Amino acid sequence: MFALDAIMQRLRQGCQTMAYPDGSPPPLPDRHGGSLRVDRSKCEPGCDACIRICPTAAITRTPDISLDLGRCIFCSDCVKTCPPGAITHTGKHSMSTRNRGDLLLGPSGQEEVRLAKALDDSLRRLFGRSLRLRQVSAGGCNACEADTNVLGTIGWDLGRFGIQFVASPRHADGLFITGPVTKNMQLALRKTYDAVPAPKLVIATGACAIAGGPFVDLPEVLNGATSILPVDLYIPGCPPHPITILDGLLTLLGRLPPDRIP
């Protein structure tokens, strides 16, 4: 009787998993704003309001304004403070990159993030349909971990793409790193990486794992995963929205529809 009730309830509820990437992604919350854009033509010479207010020194002038999305915690203070509106939100959830330099806005006229490209054909044949990741929290606050855990719920169902998190690095294809990599976690992270069989991937998720986040340059941290490991994918945010994380993973594996490939 219980089994019949469960089946009937399931039929009444219908499918609870989002259609993305075949359908539209879920909307970002109003307070999020998505990725950022820098329009240097609007930047007023001598105005450093955004530089002074940035809590992670993600904005510099060399000599033009440069915004590092890898260090950015997306607090929006710069957007609110910039008098001419040179820094704005784009509303876009896609912002993952393969190269650290692609997260730098401003230099060479780059106004928006250069999005990640998929792995090469040989690696996609290995990982494209079945990717196992070992998550390592290297001193983070658990915000990135919480948004990552959302992907395992029925609404997101990460497993339908063949992507799973595993307990042992020996069963993994790569590492999914969060946190600024504290000195206390340096050895553990290195040993975990060494235990993953080759070829292997490294994914740095969140501002902390990319560049130290709000803990940048503190003596107890190493300012992110790149300090000790090669990184194959950077997913910015503080924390990254689950749709940003999912979009980055699917882009890396070449699993997005052709019209959505960056």
Side-chain angles (χ1 to χ4, degrees):
M1 190 64 179
F2 175 79
L4 180 59
D5 289 343
I7 292 173
M8 294 302 297
Q9 182 65 22
R10 182 68 182 86
L11 291 174
R12 282 194 292 269
Q13 290 179 353
C15 180
Q16 299 295 311
T17 304
M18 70 180 65
Y20 183 84
D22 297 324
S24 299
L28 293 172
D30 293 339
R31 64 183 180 277
H32 191 287
S35 186
L36 293 172
R37 182 176 184 272
V38 175
D39 186 348
R40 291 193 306 172
S41 66
K42 294 183 179 180
C43 187
E44 297 178 350
C47 175
D48 290 335
C50 59
I51 297 176
R52 293 192 300 270
I53 202 169
C54 182
T56 59
I59 307 175
T60 56
R61 185 181 289 278
T62 58
D64 296 316
I65 285 293
S66 175
L67 170 59
D68 184 354
L69 279 187
R71 294 182 70 152
C72 179
I73 61 172
F74 295 84
C75 63
S76 297
D77 285 350
C78 59
V79 176
K80 300 171 185 175
T81 302
C82 181
I87 303 176
T88 56
H89 284 292
T90 66
K92 300 176 182 178
H93 66 271
S94 299
M95 58 183 94
S96 301
T97 70
R98 297 289 307 280
N99 300 306
R100 181 68 178 86
D102 289 341
L103 290 171
L104 300 179
L105 309 184
S108 304
Q110 181 180 334
E111 295 184 348
E112 295 188 31
V113 61
R114 294 190 184 99
L115 297 177
K117 301 294 184 182
L119 295 167
D120 60 41
D121 291 342
S122 61
L123 289 178
R124 283 209 308 275
R125 283 194 292 269
L126 284 174
F127 304 133
R129 297 182 63 83
S130 177
L131 180 65
R132 303 292 184 265
L133 297 171
R134 176 61 168 93
Q135 196 274 328
V136 179
S137 180
C141 68
N142 286 328
C144 291
E145 293 84 345
D147 273 7
T148 302
N149 288 341
V150 169
L151 298 178
T153 63
I154 190 173
W156 298 79
D157 192 14
L158 185 65
R160 64 193 161 117
F161 304 107
I163 305 173
Q164 294 182 351
F165 290 95
V166 295
S168 171
R170 300 189 187 279
H171 299 161
D173 301 309
L175 300 184
F176 187 94
I177 303 171
T178 57
V181 186
T182 61
K183 290 183 178 178
N184 286 342
M185 279 296 297
Q186 180 179 4
L187 180 60
L189 179 58
R190 168 57 70 176
K191 285 186 174 182
T192 305
Y193 175 79
D194 291 341
V196 177
K200 47 193 167 187
L201 304 174
V202 175
I203 300 169
T205 304
C208 288
I210 295 175
F215 310 104
V216 62
D217 292 335
L218 290 179
E220 296 85 0
V221 304
L222 300 177
N223 291 345
T226 52
S227 60
I228 60 173
L229 298 178
V231 175
D232 299 284
L233 182 69
Y234 300 89
I235 307 178
C238 187
H241 191 279
I243 190 60
T244 299
I245 300 173
L246 179 59
D247 181 86
L249 294 175
L250 296 182
T251 299
L252 185 69
L253 299 179
R255 297 291 299 277
L256 292 178
D259 61 331
R260 295 174 187 260
I261 296 177

